[in-house]
Amino acid sequence: MAKFVLAGRADCPYYAKAELLADYLQKNLPDFRVHKITQHPQVWEEWLKDLCEKNKWSHKKSPIIWRELLDRGGKGLLLGGYNEFLEYAQLYYGVTSSMTTELMKLIAQENLETHKEKELEEETRKDLIHPLQVWITSASGRVCYNLIPILTSGEVFGMHTEISLNLLDDKQAVEDLHIIMTETRDLVAPLLQSISICTQVEDAFRQAHVIIILDENTDREVYSLEDCIRSRLPLCRLYGYLIEKNAHDSVRVIVGGKTFVNLKTFLLMRYAPNVAHNIIAVALGVEGQARAALARKLRTTPSCIKNVIVWGNISGNNYIDLRKARIYRYESAIWGPPNYSRPVLSLVFDSEWLNRQYVETLKKLTATGKQFGAILAAHSIATTLKYWYHGSPPGEIVSLGVLSEGQFGIPEGIVFSMPVKFENGAWVVLTDLKDIEISEPIMTRMTSDLIQEKLVALGDLISFQPYQSAVNLLDLTPQPTSEKPFGQEAINDSEDKSVEEQQIN
């Protein structure tokens, strides 16, 4: 049996002519077989050079044709190019080709288009086979420890998506990283294809599809709030550079934690501008705390409370908005189907608690970071990622830190938590919500601190001056008369707290 291999540049007209002749011979001769290989014009010369070096052949042009001797283990015997193949077909089989030049060029163009389509199909197939590369920074911490079982369960990325985990931290944490890696392997999670450790920062985020930025582990002493703010810039600048250099073009970056979340997200956007649209900050932890506090008061479960909005600085001055909040499956004199809900503010009859104790509780939680532990942080990150990949529940409002483009009167160029929804693998700011205007004093308080954090970090401002309000923010909510208050402000009184109380904790 004669088996020939016909290889050529995808847009080569002589390859097209030789291909047509080879197809004719294979169709009409029972012992003639042909295998065809096309290469993209950009890689053809390099591919031909490697082939000839491997087989010790000398050939310079497209196409190249050789015969595989099946009775000798498939050893290749070079026939030559287009002219040699034509001579061989005419000598042994009495067949030649009369294809016109115009037809040769037309088929060559079709071959190139077909080759490009096959390359695209192959890339798509590889994406289905290759696992999702997930990188986690500061991976020796407890947040990562609690996050891994959720990520490997299939709940976040889907039950048919395999993942590879890459744990990034410094060399001092290598022992803890090995412990986490061993325990993760012991999970025997079907969707976990591999787990690896990285302590060389220059290798970080290689081929990353998802990057989870956690609070950095640091024991260094901080002497002022300004030093604390400025200390975030070098690492974010380095991470931004490495994301641009090493990560996948469509990488998704999610920033979680309880210290300078908005600021770190902004800095990553600044130093990774090509993927800035895919960098977000997690606000669901703060939202969860607000929902849990309401649930305790109403003696229900936090999951029954929806549409609580977190505005502003996720880890600092923020405003908890209850004007759109709804409660489902609430046990009262009024019942309805599972999708029946009632406004939360119509069910909280203790106005003193709502305007004082509730606000103070949220202020302390945000200011000190207390109760914002590893389990809550891990769950908030995982839930946000799940929404990003599969969409948020229809009709629900989700709080998310994104770069402001002037929506709701927020100054442009700062990362600000605001109401969004997730759909089709992207997030959309809910600018069409009605009756959610924010008063000027509250907006000024939140944006002032965020703008100053940004300027101090970039070296454009020497000292941070906490915004001095002319009124007591606890009194900004109208006192109830015949109507319920429209919302609650959880604003940190940062000028009366130490640097550690404000941000580090």
Side-chain angles (χ1 to χ4, degrees):
M1 177 181 289
K3 180 179 179 182
F4 290 84
V5 180
L6 173 62
R9 202 178 66 238
D11 63 345
C12 174
Y14 294 102
Y15 171 84
K17 191 169 184 177
E19 177 191 29
L20 198 65
L21 177 59
D23 287 343
Y24 175 84
L25 292 173
Q26 180 170 254
K27 181 179 179 180
N28 292 278
L29 300 174
D31 292 333
F32 187 94
R33 294 290 180 269
V34 63
H35 176 66
K36 293 176 284 187
I37 301 173
T38 58
Q39 294 293 334
H40 195 281
Q42 293 178 352
V43 303
W44 162 253
E45 290 186 4
E46 190 68 27
W47 183 88
L48 179 62
K49 180 181 177 182
D50 293 341
L51 176 71
C52 291
E53 288 180 356
K54 178 182 177 181
N55 292 281
K56 296 181 173 57
W57 294 338
S58 177
H59 192 81
K60 301 291 186 180
K61 298 180 180 180
S62 171
I64 180 172
I65 304 163
W66 67 93
R67 182 177 178 182
E68 291 190 347
L69 305 178
L70 300 181
D71 57 342
R72 301 185 190 178
K75 181 180 179 181
L77 180 64
L78 179 65
L79 180 62
Y82 161 74
N83 290 327
E84 289 78 11
F85 182 61
L86 237 62
E87 291 173 3
Y88 181 91
Q90 189 169 15
L91 178 64
Y92 282 91
Y93 306 114
V95 178
T96 188
S97 174
S98 58
M99 183 185 294
T100 63
T101 302
E102 290 76 12
L103 185 57
M104 288 169 59
K105 292 180 178 178
L106 178 62
I107 295 178
Q109 185 62 34
E110 291 177 353
N111 283 342
L112 179 59
E113 295 300 322
T114 301
H115 180 82
K116 290 179 178 179
E117 290 176 3
K118 288 182 177 179
E119 282 187 332
L120 185 60
E121 290 175 0
E122 181 66 15
E123 288 298 320
T124 303
R125 186 184 66 83
K126 287 180 179 179
D127 287 342
L128 294 174
I129 296 174
H130 292 171
L132 197 72
Q133 296 291 334
V134 181
W135 283 77
I136 307 175
T137 71
S138 305
S140 63
R142 292 180 62 242
V143 176
C144 177
Y145 188 85
N146 286 274
L147 183 59
I148 287 175
I150 310 176
L151 296 179
T152 57
S153 68
E155 179 183 345
V156 176
F157 302 112
M159 297 304 298
H160 301 288
T161 302
E162 294 186 345
I163 67 171
S164 285
L165 289 177
N166 304 272
L167 310 182
L168 175 65
D169 215 320
D170 54 36
K171 293 181 179 179
Q172 288 75 20
V174 68
E175 185 176 346
D176 292 332
L177 292 176
H178 277 289
I179 293 173
I180 294 175
M181 183 171 67
T182 300
E183 288 196 37
T184 302
R185 286 173 175 164
D186 291 343
L187 289 174
V188 197
L191 297 176
L192 179 64
Q193 188 176 101
S194 66
I195 181 170
S196 62
I197 290 171
C198 179
T199 57
Q200 301 291 334
V201 69
E202 61 270 15
D203 295 328
F205 312 136
R206 293 196 182 277
Q207 297 303 311
H209 298 102
V210 177
I211 299 173
I212 302 171
I213 306 291
L214 302 180
D215 285 332
E216 56 269 25
N217 302 317
T218 177
D219 295 324
R220 65 178 180 272
E221 191 172 359
V222 179
Y223 296 99
S224 70
L225 175 59
E226 289 79 9
D227 289 341
C228 195
I229 293 173
R230 294 188 189 102
S231 68
R232 267 58 189 177
L233 186 137
L235 187 60
C236 289
R237 180 168 52 199
L238 176 60
Y239 280 174
Y241 166 76
L242 293 171
I243 290 170
E244 292 265 312
K245 177 184 177 185
N246 296 337
H248 197 274
D249 291 341
S250 59
V251 64
R252 303 182 186 194
V253 183
I254 184 166
V255 183
K258 57 185 179 182
T259 57
F260 296 105
V261 175
N262 297 54
L263 175 63
K264 290 186 291 188
T265 305
F266 165 78
L267 292 173
L268 288 171
M269 291 176 175
R270 180 181 177 89
Y271 295 110
N274 291 327
V275 296
H277 61 287
N278 265 0
I279 304 177
I280 60 175
V282 178
L284 288 186
V286 178
E287 180 184 319
Q289 290 177 327
R291 291 164 63 184
L294 285 170
R296 288 192 294 271
K297 181 65 175 178
L298 295 172
R299 297 183 180 180
T300 186
T301 58
S303 62
C304 292
I305 299 174
K306 312 286 186 183
N307 299 346
V308 173
I309 302 173
V310 178
W311 297 93
N313 193 343
I314 297 166
S315 51
N317 290 341
N318 51 52
Y319 163 57
I320 306 300
D321 191 345
L322 303 181
R323 288 172 290 179
K324 297 296 179 182
R326 312 284 298 185
I327 185 167
Y328 294 77
R329 302 185 300 278
Y330 186 62
E331 295 185 10
S332 66
I334 302 175
W335 281 79
N339 60 349
Y340 173 74
S341 66
R342 301 170 67 185
V344 167
L345 290 176
S346 69
L347 297 171
V348 181
F349 302 107
D350 188 348
S351 59
E352 180 66 23
W353 177 88
L354 191 63
N355 287 283
R356 300 290 176 180
Q357 187 176 340
Y358 179 64
V359 172
E360 288 295 333
T361 298
L362 296 180
K363 282 174 63 177
K364 290 178 181 178
L365 290 176
T366 305
T368 64
K370 290 180 179 179
Q371 296 186 27
F372 194 88
I375 294 177
L376 177 58
H379 183 267
S380 303
I381 292 168
T383 303
T384 305
L385 275 173
K386 177 183 176 181
Y387 290 168
W388 204 351
Y389 273 84
H390 304 291
S392 53
E396 285 192 21
I397 299 172
V398 179
S399 299
L400 187 71
V402 299
L403 189 66
S404 170
E405 297 179 353
Q407 308 97 324
F408 309 109
I410 303 166
E412 296 183 20
I414 58 174
V415 172
F416 202 89
S417 179
M418 60 184 77
V420 307
K421 66 177 178 180
F422 287 91
E423 60 181 7
N424 301 321
W427 47 265
V428 179
V429 178
L430 297 176
T431 54
D432 56 347
L433 290 177
K434 297 180 179 179
D435 302 322
I436 57 168
E437 293 78 12
I438 302 174
S439 66
E440 184 178 349
I442 298 174
M443 180 67 78
T444 303
R445 175 92 176 197
M446 291 187 292
T447 57
S448 173
D449 285 0
L450 286 171
I451 292 170
Q452 286 190 83
E453 283 182 5
K454 168 183 168 181
L455 294 176
V456 170
L458 296 176
D460 296 328
L461 186 66
I462 297 176
S463 62
F464 184 94
Q465 298 294 330
Y467 177 76
Q468 301 290 335
S469 176
V471 294
N472 183 348
L473 286 170
L474 293 178
D475 293 331
L476 289 176
T477 302
Q479 294 301 312
T481 53
S482 60
E483 296 180 349
K484 288 293 179 182
F486 66 86
Q488 303 301 319
E489 293 78 15
I491 304 292
N492 297 339
D493 202 9
S494 54
E495 59 267 35
D496 295 329
K497 294 180 174 63
S498 65
V499 172
E500 290 189 356
E501 287 179 323
Q502 290 177 48
Q503 300 286 0
I504 299 174
N505 291 328

